[in-house]
Amino acid sequence: MRERGAATVVAVALISGLILVTAGLVDVSRLVAARAQAVAAADAAARAAAPVTFFGGDPVAEAAAFADRNGARLEVCRCPLDRSMQPRVVTVEVSAPVDLALLGSHT
C-alpha cells in the first residue's frame, strides 16, 4: 500500500483550518472594534445634543453631526426640548459599519 502524499493532505487540511480560525478571530476583533466605535459615537452624539435641548436649536442635527464625525450614523435621537433647567435624559442610537472577512459588510 502506497501512502505517498498523505502528509501533504493532512498539512493542507491543517493549514486550511488555521486560516479559517485566523479569519474568524480577525472578524471577532473587527466586531469588537466596531462596537467600541459605535459606543464612542453614541456617547459623543448624546453629549453634543444634551446642551442644545436646554438652549434651543436642533439637537437631532447636532447628534447626527457628532455621530458622523465619529464614524457612525445616527439612527434614533430622543432629545426632548425643554428650556427649563430640569434634569432630562437624552437617548441616541447609532449604527457603525464593519467589514468582516468571512461574512462581508454589516452594520
Side-chain angles (χ1 to χ4, degrees), residues 9-86:
V9 172
V10 171
V12 167
L14 285 174
I15 291 171
S16 297
L18 286 174
I19 289 171
L20 190 60
V21 168
T22 301
L25 290 174
V26 167
D27 280 356
V28 168
S29 66
R30 286 182 179 172
L31 283 171
V32 169
R35 185 178 189 287
Q37 178 184 8
V39 168
D43 188 45
R47 289 176 184 266
V52 179
T53 64
F54 287 100
F55 304 115
D58 188 359
V60 176
E62 194 72 17
F66 272 78
D68 184 56
R69 288 182 197 142
N70 285 281
R73 184 171 70 117
L74 182 69
E75 298 292 337
V76 175
C77 181
R78 288 188 274 300
C79 309
L81 290 173
D82 183 359
R83 293 193 185 269
S84 74
M85 289 297 160
Q86 296 300 316

